[in-house]
């Protein structure tokens, strides 16, 4: 239990000892308040004409009035505080709901963003696949065209070669070695022209194909590798054609 405090105070010119559980500073504040209240009434002429009992009653009434007003004000402040606490609680509740709604919105936005990204990825894969298929078709068409042109030119060259060989067969018998060398030189020149013509046509077709499709570097490299293989096949076929031509000359020279 707290101990009592004793304070000597002056009230209305009298020295009094006051005891209480409050601090001495608080007791002095109470005494000062009473003295201020008495001082206010001492300035009123009507108060000064009253008897001592009347003065005390007026002091008591005013102190009681101050007390009740202060308590009423405190009660009002308490009510306002409770009201503000309720408002704060409502605001906190609204804030929590807003945060939850915001989180739900962020989650929905994230899911929508992921869905759109997946759709874009699928569309990109589809476009890549279609482009790849189109490119393969174009490459196959170029290979087929080049192979067809080569076969036609090779057949024409062989036909021309056979016609010329039959026409000059008698001359080859008289000058077999000389004619064979000249013919080989002509054949090599014709083959070189054919290769240059095919290479020129290929370069033109390749340039047109690259301009139309916007082929990438690696795709162009792949196409060049295929062309090298095609050239190798052409050289191989030309070598076989030479071998067939050499055998034909030998047979004609031997009279077979």
């Amino acid at each position: 239990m707290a101990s009592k405090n004793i304070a000597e105070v002056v009230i209305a010119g009298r020295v009094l000892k006051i005891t209480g559980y409050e601090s001495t500073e608080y007791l002095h504040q109470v005494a000062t308040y009473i003295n201020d209240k008495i001082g206010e009434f001492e300035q009123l002429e009507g108060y000064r004409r009253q008897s001592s009992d009347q003065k005390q009653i007026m002091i008591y009434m005013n102190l009681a009035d101050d007390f009740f007003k202060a308590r009423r004000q405190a009660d009002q402040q308490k009510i306002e505080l409770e009201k503000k606490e309720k408002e704060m609680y409502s605001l906190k509740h609204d804030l929590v709901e807003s945060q939850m709604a915001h989180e739900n919105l962020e989650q929905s936005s994230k899911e929508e963003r992921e869905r759109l990204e997946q759709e874009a990825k699928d569309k990109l894969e589809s476009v890549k696949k279609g482009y790849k298929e189109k490119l393969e078709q174009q490459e196959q068409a170029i290979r087929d065209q080049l192979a067809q042109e080569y076969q036609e030119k090779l057949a024409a060259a062989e036909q021309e070669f056979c016609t010329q060989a039959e026409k000059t067969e008698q001359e080859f018998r008289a000058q077999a070695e000389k004619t064979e060398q000249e013919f080989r030189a002509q054949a090599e020149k014709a083959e070189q022209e054919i290769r240059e013509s095919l290479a020129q046509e290929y370069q033109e077709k390749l340039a047109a194909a690259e301009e139309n499709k916007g082929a990438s570097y690696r795709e162009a490299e792949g196409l060049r590798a295929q062309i090298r293989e095609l050239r190798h096949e052409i050289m191989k076929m030309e070598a076989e054609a030479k071998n067939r031509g050499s055998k034909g000359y030998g047979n004609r020279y031997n009279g077979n």
Side-chain angles (χ1 to χ4, degrees):
M1 185 175 179
S3 60
K4 289 184 177 181
N5 295 316
I6 300 175
E8 288 187 354
V9 297
V10 178
I11 298 177
R14 297 173 57 188
V15 178
L16 302 174
K17 286 186 178 182
I18 300 176
T19 61
Y21 293 105
E22 291 79 5
S23 65
T24 56
E25 290 81 1
Y26 176 78
L27 297 176
H28 282 288
Q29 287 178 357
V30 172
T32 300
Y33 177 76
I34 295 173
N35 286 324
D36 291 341
K37 183 63 67 174
I38 294 172
E40 292 176 4
F41 281 97
E42 288 291 343
Q43 294 177 3
L44 300 175
E45 184 177 353
Y47 175 80
R48 291 196 298 268
R49 291 198 301 264
Q50 300 295 326
S51 63
S52 298
D53 293 337
Q54 287 294 330
K55 290 180 180 180
Q56 290 180 357
I57 291 172
M58 291 180 66
I59 294 296
Y60 297 156
M61 289 291 293
N62 277 271
L63 291 175
D65 181 60
D66 290 345
F67 168 75
F68 284 114
K69 287 181 179 178
R71 187 167 69 177
R72 186 166 54 249
Q73 185 179 5
D75 292 339
Q76 184 64 31
Q77 290 178 350
K78 182 179 180 182
I79 293 171
E80 291 179 358
L81 179 61
E82 291 176 352
K83 182 179 179 181
K84 290 185 181 296
E85 288 178 350
K86 290 180 180 180
E87 292 177 354
M88 288 293 295
Y89 177 79
S90 178
L91 290 173
K92 288 180 179 179
H93 180 72
D94 294 341
L95 179 61
V96 171
E97 289 184 348
S98 299
Q99 289 177 346
M100 293 177 64
H102 180 69
E103 291 175 357
N104 292 334
L105 180 60
E106 285 185 346
Q107 181 65 25
S108 300
S109 300
K110 181 180 179 181
E111 293 175 356
E112 181 67 14
R113 184 171 61 255
E114 291 176 351
R115 184 184 68 80
L116 293 175
E117 288 176 354
Q118 184 62 38
E119 288 182 358
K121 184 178 180 181
D122 294 340
K123 288 182 180 179
L124 180 60
E125 290 297 330
S126 177
V127 171
K128 286 182 178 179
K129 183 177 179 181
Y131 175 76
K132 184 178 180 181
E133 291 176 354
K134 185 177 180 181
L135 180 62
E136 290 176 353
Q137 292 174 358
Q138 291 177 348
E139 290 176 350
Q140 184 62 40
I142 292 172
R143 288 195 296 269
D144 294 342
Q145 185 177 359
L146 290 175
Q148 180 65 27
E149 291 177 356
Y150 167 74
Q151 291 295 336
E152 293 175 356
K153 289 182 181 294
L154 183 61
E158 288 180 350
Q159 182 64 33
E160 181 182 0
F161 177 78
C162 291
T163 301
Q164 186 176 1
E166 289 174 358
K167 183 177 180 180
T168 58
E169 182 177 1
Q170 295 298 326
E171 297 176 1
F172 283 151
R173 290 181 180 179
Q175 299 178 352
E177 184 67 27
K178 182 179 179 180
T179 303
E180 184 176 0
Q181 292 177 355
E182 292 177 354
F183 182 78
R184 286 180 178 178
Q186 293 176 358
E188 290 177 355
K189 182 178 180 181
E191 290 169 355
Q192 180 63 29
E193 291 176 352
I194 292 171
R195 285 196 296 270
E196 292 176 355
S197 177
L198 290 175
Q200 180 64 28
E201 292 179 3
Y202 159 71
Q203 291 296 335
E204 294 175 355
K205 292 181 180 294
L206 179 60
E210 289 180 350
E211 182 178 357
N212 292 331
K213 67 183 181 180
S216 63
Y217 177 77
R218 289 186 295 177
E219 292 171 342
E221 286 295 326
L223 185 58
R224 291 191 183 94
Q226 293 176 359
I227 291 170
R228 286 196 294 270
E229 292 179 0
L230 184 59
R231 286 180 176 174
H232 180 72
E233 291 291 333
I234 291 172
M235 294 177 66
K236 183 177 179 181
M237 294 175 69
E238 289 175 349
E240 291 176 357
K242 285 183 180 180
N243 291 333
R244 288 198 299 270
S246 298
K247 290 180 180 180
Y249 291 144
N251 291 335
R252 291 189 182 89
Y253 187 79
N254 292 329
N256 295 329

